[in-house]
Amino acid sequence: MKHFYLVSLCLLYAFFGQAQQVKVLEENSKTPIPGVAIYNHSKNKSTVTDIDGLANLDVFSNEEVIFLEHLLYQKTTIKKSQVVKNNLIIY
């Protein structure tokens, strides 16, 4: 019985403990874009995409507008809730 509780706890953590990882892709080629700065309006919350174009959006609230900026691409804005609706993919 002790093992059942331990396994159940691990499964719950795996299901609910998932971070909201967004993937930033180039629109035409669908390749990941590393080094994209993602931040809120006041710039007190931020993150940067890794080499696979992934970034964690947990620091942002669901209705918060986030800004995406990279030297080679046009700066863009989107609500976090819209990113979630887009299956956590940004083009």
Side-chain angles (χ1 to χ4, degrees):
M1 191 62 141
K2 185 175 170 182
H3 294 303
F4 173 74
Y5 289 122
L6 182 61
V7 171
S8 297
L9 182 63
C10 290
L11 288 174
L12 282 173
Y13 177 76
F15 184 72
F16 291 109
Q18 295 284 334
Q20 287 188 322
Q21 287 259 316
V22 64
K23 189 164 203 166
V24 180
L25 302 174
E26 202 281 321
E27 191 169 16
N28 296 325
S29 68
K30 309 291 189 265
T31 58
I33 306 173
V36 176
I38 303 171
Y39 55 90
N40 64 350
H41 185 268
S42 60
K43 296 185 180 178
N44 64 347
K45 300 176 194 173
S46 64
T47 188
V48 178
T49 58
D50 65 12
I51 195 155
D52 297 318
L54 297 172
N56 186 330
L57 295 184
D58 285 344
V59 296
F60 303 102
S61 67
N62 205 34
E63 291 303 313
E64 197 161 17
V65 174
I66 56 175
F67 296 79
L68 292 93
E69 191 170 350
H70 190 279
L71 290 174
L72 301 177
Y73 297 91
Q74 184 176 355
K75 183 176 169 181
T76 189
T77 60
I78 189 169
K79 271 192 176 182
K80 180 183 173 185
S81 58
Q82 186 61 44
V83 174
V84 173
K85 288 180 186 176
N86 293 343
N87 295 321
L88 298 172
I89 296 175
I90 300 173
Y91 294 104

